[in-house]
Amino acid sequence: MPGGPQSAAALQAARHNDAHVLGRGVTIRTIGLDGVRDDTATLDYARWLTEQRGEFRTAASLPPRMVLVDGAAALIPLDPDNTRRGALCLSDPALLAPLLALFEQTWERSAPLGAAHHHTLSDRERALLACIAQGHTDESAARQLHLSPRTTRRMMASLMDQLGARSRFEAGLKAARLGWL
């Protein structure tokens, strides 16, 4: 949902279509711009979607609109500025692979709807949390990230402080709950 807040008509149509799809047991994962958190109507739709077992996250920026279906097809607007002009349906694995990777990267960097989204992790902070989640010590994470152990310890202490965590384990749990991992 790269266009930001949506019109009432678009949200009504989305709710109708999504209810039908969710009723068949399909999983829906949607990413909107952070600005939708400030738009009551779009935020209401996002909350409704999550109540229906869909998933909704937000990000500061998004790639162009796309709809991915089971890793087997992608719908890409013919005209990104006017999606009513139609869509191109892609099913070739060579074309789908980069789109799927782009979506997953964007999903991982996006904040879940219920999470506070005021803090954006740097790539180094995200990489450090990933190393810690994999069981690395500060020292082995420092080697992996080509940082000094002192810098790594300082970064980890800062992350723990931001998360209100007393241990690295608790920091990992809280970071995962916030969608930081």
Side-chain angles (χ1 to χ4, degrees), residues 89-103:
C89 182
L90 305 174
S91 59
D92 186 302
L95 297 173
L96 288 174
L99 295 174
L100 292 166
L102 176 61
F103 177 83

Side-chain angles (χ1 to χ4, degrees), residues 9 17 33 45 86 129:
N17 293 335
L33 289 171
Y45 160 77
L129 281 173

Side-chain angles (χ1 to χ4, degrees), residues 2 31-35 57-63 106 109-111 117 120:
I31 310 170
L33 289 171
D34 284 338
R57 293 184 176 197
T58 64
S61 64
L62 292 172
T106 305
R109 292 183 177 168
S110 300
H117 67 287
T120 302

Side-chain angles (χ1 to χ4, degrees), residues 18 22 27 114 123 125 131-132 142 146 151:
D18 292 348
L22 289 163
T27 300
D123 288 341
E125 289 172 321
C131 284
I132 299 304
H146 305 287
T151 297

Side-chain angles (χ1 to χ4, degrees), residues 6-106:
Q6 303 293 298
S7 70
L11 292 170
Q12 184 178 5
R15 208 179 272 233
H16 173 77
N17 293 335
D18 292 348
H20 179 70
V21 171
L22 289 163
R24 293 190 342 237
V26 173
T27 300
I28 296 176
R29 294 190 299 164
T30 302
I31 310 170
L33 289 171
D34 284 338
V36 304
R37 292 175 184 262
D38 300 323
D39 179 72
T40 303
T42 308
L43 188 57
D44 285 345
Y45 160 77
R47 288 183 178 135
W48 171 84
L49 181 65
T50 59
E51 289 167 2
Q52 305 304 309
R53 295 197 175 126
E55 297 179 62
F56 195 98
R57 293 184 176 197
T58 64
S61 64
L62 292 172
R65 183 177 305 277
M66 68 178 90
V67 175
L68 302 171
V69 182
D70 293 335
L75 297 173
I76 309 296
L78 293 173
D79 180 351
D81 296 324
N82 182 1
T83 57
R84 292 176 188 240
R85 292 196 57 216
L88 177 64
C89 182
L90 305 174
S91 59
D92 186 302
L95 297 173
L96 288 174
L99 295 174
L100 292 166
L102 176 61
F103 177 83
E104 291 301 334
Q105 287 173 357
T106 305

